[in-house]
Amino acid sequence: MNRCCDTWNPDRPGRREDAALLAGRGRFVADLAAEGSLSAVFVRSPVPRAAIRALRLQGARAARGVVALYTGADVARLPRPRVNPVLGEFDAPAMPVLAQDEVRAVGQPVVAIVADSEAAALAAADRVEMDLEALEPVCDAEAALTAPPLLPERASNVIVEESWSSGDAERAFRNATVTAEVTIRHPRVAPAPLECRAIAAEWDGDTQRLTIWSGTQTPHRARNDIAHALGLARERVRVIAPDVGGAFGMKASVYPEDIAVAFVACALGRAVRWIASRQEDFLSATHGRGAVTRGRMAFDAEGRILALDTDMIFPLGAWLTFSALVPAWNASRILPGPYAIESVAVRVRGVVTNTVPVGIYRGAGRPEAAMLLERLIEAGARRLGFGPVVVRRRNLVPSEALPLARPNGTVLDAGDYRAVLAKTQARADDDRLREGQRRRRERGEAVGLGWSLYIEPCGRGWESASIALEPGGRFTAVTGSSSQGQGRETTFALIAARELAVSPESVSVMHGDTDALSNAVGALASRSVAIGGSALLQAAQALVEKARPVAARLLNAAASSVVNVDGGFAVSGRPDRSVGWERIAASADNELRTDATYTADEEAWGCGCCLAQVAVDIETGRVTLEQLHYVDDAGTVVNPRLVDGQIVGGIAQGIGEALLERAVYDADGQLLTGSLMDYALPRADDMPATRLDRLCMPSVFNTLGAKGVGEAGTIGAPPAIVNAVLDALAPLGVEAIDMPMTPERVWRAIRNAENRSDGKEKRR
Ligand code: SMO
């Protein structure tokens, strides 16, 4: 099999997608012809929690251009969408398509207005009057732990609770030389893809089928969930994802608006579309992160970690999307990360609140696990007086121990965590950086170095693919791994072409159409190349086998003596007796096409290491990210340029979480960050000099040997940056600052530390 220990294409081929996208010729849902289509808009709740006393719709109904209005009563009987029970079977609260009796978050859809233009629908929306009886909202997850239940018929706001343990953590803490403790409050962040959510739906009365165009990252899941919600057979729903402008987990689960638009298209027998505004996405698309994690870590005098104990609280928002529990699940099962820790106690809870749902967002629990471990190790190392690298190296799972089955059921695959750390040290020349830090500190500068290490689950389960030989000797590959800008077509053409021994240019790659494959998963969870790529590889292998007898016939040779060579087949040992794919296509009796559904043996686990250097302006609190070194092991790398691009993109979003981004609800449950004027996404000038390198330790659990890389940067960058800022400020006595580490927060932390030490001076 292709267990190559290096990249396939050292010549860094570029992306075939870019010519159209960069020239503005991409076709997103909003670019599809709108003639004859109705427009839907949603009237949303202006308050976080209220009983609906009455909806007055006469004015809106009479407005010019309005075709129909729908409220919760119209969709009350639709079956509730599924929630992925990753933490075990549980009774999931229903996701209301349109609010019934009560509203539970600002931005929740209450009324759908369908009109012959978006402008008409928006004008009518202004005429809807809601008579609401306000109730006390609970927007904070920790407050919700003890608050009276927000959902009817629930005893508690804790919807799921899971725990697992190994060893004897309590005893280990009693025996510890040093115990480190941290509390981490992850800001809630808005995934903010370039393209907001968008959906168009059309019912065809002749074929009795519903066609949906959606900016989704999981077209087959959307098909299944919408079919389920509307009581249609899956075969009667087709979902097409055209160009999709980013997703980051925010477009992996169906939304109430998706089901509402599909419902309206069926009810009216017309084409209907809804294109979200940026404000609507801030208000009603899933947020990410937001967890509060508390942890303790016990160390012995040599710096060995004896125990880890953590309690993690994940906000869920007002209702649960399909993947709502994935962050909590991932965070708990990753622990204790790359470290060998015998005694571990993990408790995780998911809590409903009166906010927009919190869902998966690039990283989805992996960043939370890494932040907890890396903050604790840093704090422990500081108290023990050891360097940050020494303590990490001492506790890493050695490569000889892999593959490793852990007490919580996870199985780590191949890797070398110590080698990843050593490579980062070597590439960054950390001795020189430390020396530079020492010299600058002597001059009065606040300069810090911060480390992080992580492992990430990235590639499990199944995916489908097919490949067909076309007339003329070209190939059409279809993959269930859809695309939101990752360069899927470029990468998957390389995978198929390598297996077929043809040029990538002769392979067309299709994705994002549920009619092209009967079942598939989609693009999420850093699994596309590992799982979707392995599926395509298998389909290509099967195609070679299917074509072999055809080639043998053309070559007047036994099939067993015919071998696959560049561009076609030849008789073994007789390169002069060959036949190309074009002739095979012309002479095959039946279409040569193969399908494959690939299921990985076990999960792939990527790993990586990040070292950040920051300078902090003591007068203003401004953090300058000066350097960022990043080494990741993504196993087999198909296209190094795209892998690097994924890492850099993830780093940018990691910088956002660490330094810039925060979705803010005020005490009344109103979202204060409803636009890009109030919400600070990282921009080009927030990016530091970034030096990337990689290790390629192929996974032993999938055919390609690939590990995921789409989420890596968001996992490794934040703890390295946070640790670097705390390192810079350690001489001043600063021990903790919440993310995002904005100038204001950093400034306050410095002033508070100064005041504390002034107080000590005076007391003395
Ligand atoms: S957060 Mo991802 O798209 O699984």
Side-chain angles (χ1 to χ4, degrees):
M1 221 43 66
N2 295 293
R3 298 243 185 265
C4 46
C5 276
D6 205 343
T7 54
W8 287 9
N9 297 278
D11 51 337
R12 305 177 68 83
R15 304 186 351 146
R16 60 169 64 177
E17 291 88 342
D18 285 349
L21 291 175
L22 293 176
R25 284 185 277 107
R27 277 169 62 81
F28 301 85
V29 173
D31 297 318
L32 304 176
E35 285 118 76
S37 175
L38 302 172
S39 283
V41 305
F42 293 92
V43 181
R44 298 175 182 280
S45 174
V47 296
R49 190 174 176 212
I52 301 177
R53 282 221 205 93
L55 297 173
R56 278 185 275 283
L57 306 173
Q58 304 87 327
R61 216 183 287 280
R64 186 199 312 239
V66 168
V67 175
L69 270 83
Y70 299 89
T71 67
D74 299 306
V75 289
R77 275 197 290 280
L78 300 186
R80 59 171 72 173
R82 306 166 302 144
V83 177
N84 196 353
V86 284
L87 285 171
E89 286 302 330
F90 76 113
D91 181 24
M95 172 177 82
V97 172
L98 296 168
Q100 293 156 34
D101 307 329
E102 55 166 5
V103 289
R104 302 210 293 255
V106 167
Q108 179 178 355
V110 180
V111 181
I113 300 182
V114 184
D116 54 21
S117 73
E118 189 181 45
L122 286 169
D126 283 344
R127 301 170 71 169
V128 169
E129 290 172 41
M130 294 186 223
D131 185 356
L132 303 175
E133 180 189 337
L135 298 167
E136 190 66 31
V138 181
C139 295
D140 178 76
E142 286 186 282
L145 288 177
T146 50
L150 300 173
L151 300 178
E153 294 152 35
R154 298 268 167 173
S156 157
N157 294 320
V158 178
I159 297 295
V160 287
E161 169 158 4
E162 268 293 310
S163 53
W164 69 269
S165 64
S166 67
D168 185 346
E170 278 320 308
R171 207 181 67 148
F173 279 104
R174 280 197 303 274
N175 295 336
T177 304
V178 154
T179 296
E181 282 193 52
V182 297
T183 297
I184 295 156
R185 290 167 208 284
H186 288 264
R188 291 175 66 125
V189 294
L194 269 178
E195 182 204 20
C196 296
R197 288 172 298 160
I199 183 168
E202 183 167 26
W203 175 256
D204 183 333
D206 294 334
T207 60
Q208 293 284 299
R209 287 190 91 206
L210 178 66
T211 302
I212 290 167
W213 293 264
S214 169
T216 174
Q217 62 192 98
T218 47
H220 285 81
R221 182 185 290 170
R223 176 199 65 182
N224 298 352
D225 286 352
I226 290 170
H228 170 75
L230 301 186
L232 294 170
R234 287 177 180 181
E235 296 71 40
R236 287 174 58 200
V237 179
R238 177 185 188 184
V239 173
I240 299 168
D243 282 325
V244 178
F248 310 121
M250 196 196 89
K251 298 176 180 173
S253 303
V254 294
Y255 283 94
E257 291 93 336
D258 297 324
I259 294 171
V261 168
F263 172 84
V264 169
C266 293
L268 297 177
R270 300 272 310 266
V272 185
R273 53 193 247 142
W274 169 67
I275 312 294
S277 68
R278 181 62 64 184
Q279 188 191 26
E280 280 184 297
D281 265 9
F282 275 113
L283 270 178
S284 60
T286 48
H287 291 166
R289 310 285 192 267
V292 179
T293 63
R294 289 195 174 74
R296 291 189 300 155
M297 194 176 261
F299 298 82
D300 71 10
E302 276 77 53
R304 263 183 297 272
I305 305 171
L306 304 175
L308 167 71
D309 172 17
T310 182
D311 187 359
M312 312 172 106
I313 299 157
F314 281 79
L316 300 171
W319 60 90
L320 275 61
T321 61
F322 179 75
S323 295
L325 303 179
V326 168
W329 171 62
N330 271 339
S332 79
R333 75 200 186 94
I334 287 166
L335 296 174
Y339 304 106
I341 306 177
E342 202 175 287
S343 297
V344 179
V346 174
R347 180 194 197 195
V348 61
R349 284 174 285 179
V351 187
V352 286
T353 57
N354 291 117
T355 69
V356 68
V358 182
I360 52 172
Y361 165 57
R362 198 174 194 173
R366 301 166 184 83
E368 291 89 332
M371 180 64 73
L372 180 75
L373 289 166
E374 297 304 307
R375 283 281 312 277
L376 283 168
I377 287 197
E378 200 81 9
R382 198 175 294 285
R383 298 197 34 199
L384 284 160
F386 287 126
V389 174
V390 175
V391 171
R392 284 182 171 82
R393 194 192 301 119
R394 191 157 292 170
N395 290 285
L396 286 173
V397 173
S399 58
E400 312 87 73
L402 301 174
L404 175 69
R406 292 191 135 172
N408 63 356
T410 58
V411 182
L412 304 182
D413 65 343
D416 190 338
Y417 312 149
R418 288 178 182 165
V420 166
L421 175 59
K423 190 159 193 173
T424 311
Q425 286 186 276
R427 289 302 305 250
D429 194 351
D430 63 325
D431 288 338
R432 187 182 51 83
L433 293 183
R434 246 193 310 275
E435 177 54 24
Q437 178 188 31
R438 197 187 55 76
R439 272 187 279 109
R440 289 171 68 186
R441 271 190 175 162
E442 279 172 12
R443 294 202 301 264
E445 287 185 66
V447 182
L449 295 170
W451 292 87
S452 74
L453 275 157
Y454 60 89
I455 55 171
E456 53 162 336
C458 53
R460 70 200 296 267
W462 63 277
E463 191 51 278
S464 61
S466 76
I467 188 159
L469 175 61
E470 308 285 354
R474 290 188 53 82
F475 302 86
T476 301
V478 185
T479 170
S481 297
S482 56
S483 177
Q484 308 95 51
Q486 298 97 328
R488 179 80 64 244
E489 294 156 42
T490 302
T491 304
F492 278 44
L494 288 167
I495 292 170
R498 182 179 153 114
E499 201 56 35
L500 297 165
V502 298
S503 85
E505 287 70 38
S506 65
V507 182
S508 305
V509 177
M510 322 253 298
H511 53 80
D513 182 345
T514 59
D515 270 9
L517 288 172
S518 60
N519 228 335
V521 176
L524 74 171
S526 293
R527 65 196 298 283
S528 292
V529 170
I531 311 300
S534 290
L536 183 55
L537 185 76
Q538 282 202 345
Q541 286 170 346
L543 189 73
V544 169
E545 291 319 311
K546 215 167 182 178
R548 193 186 304 276
V550 182
R553 181 158 52 79
L554 291 169
L555 292 166
N556 284 321
S560 58
S561 66
V562 163
V563 291
N564 184 210
V565 298
D566 278 356
F569 290 85
V571 179
S572 178
R574 292 289 307 278
D576 55 312
R577 284 179 61 196
S578 67
V579 60
W581 284 103
E582 186 174 350
R583 270 192 65 208
I584 294 170
S587 59
D589 298 328
N590 303 308
E591 186 200 21
L592 286 179
R593 177 195 152 113
T594 54
D595 296 271
T597 298
Y598 173 78
T599 305
D601 307 337
E602 287 276 0
E603 195 162 19
W605 288 76
C607 64
C609 181
C610 182
L611 170 59
Q613 176 176 308
V614 304
V616 181
D617 183 329
I618 300 296
E619 297 306 316
T620 65
R622 188 183 157 83
V623 173
T624 301
L625 188 45
E626 295 183 326
Q627 293 183 30
L628 203 131
H629 303 267
Y630 210 104
V631 176
D632 182 81
D633 173 8
T636 301
V637 167
V638 176
N639 184 319
R641 184 193 292 249
L642 298 193
V643 165
D644 289 352
Q646 285 293 334
I647 298 269
V648 169
I651 287 172
Q653 284 175 307
I655 290 169
E657 183 183 1
L659 298 177
L660 297 162
E661 297 181 44
R662 184 162 78 110
V664 183
Y665 285 92
D666 70 9
D668 299 324
Q670 292 294 336
L671 184 69
L672 299 184
T673 47
S675 81
L676 289 171
M677 295 298 285
D678 321 298
Y679 184 89
L681 283 182
R683 289 169 296 188
D685 64 354
D686 295 306
M687 288 301 284
T690 301
R691 311 220 176 101
L692 307 183
D693 205 338
R694 73 178 111 258
L695 231 65
C696 299
M697 307 274 294
S699 175
V700 291
F701 291 146
N702 66 69
T703 306
L704 264 176
K707 301 170 179 176
V709 74
E711 300 171 274
T714 61
I715 309 167
I721 295 167
V722 169
N723 280 337
V725 172
L726 294 176
D727 183 51
L729 300 179
L732 305 177
V734 174
E735 288 183 347
I737 307 174
D738 282 343
M739 293 181 288
M741 294 178 139
T742 57
E744 183 204 343
R745 286 179 167 183
V746 173
W747 185 88
R748 283 185 195 283
I750 295 168
R751 297 295 95 88
N752 286 341
E754 281 176 354
N755 291 341
R756 278 200 305 273
S757 66
D758 280 0
K760 273 185 214 147
E761 296 292 321
K762 284 189 195 112
R763 274 198 300 277
R764 233 179 259 156

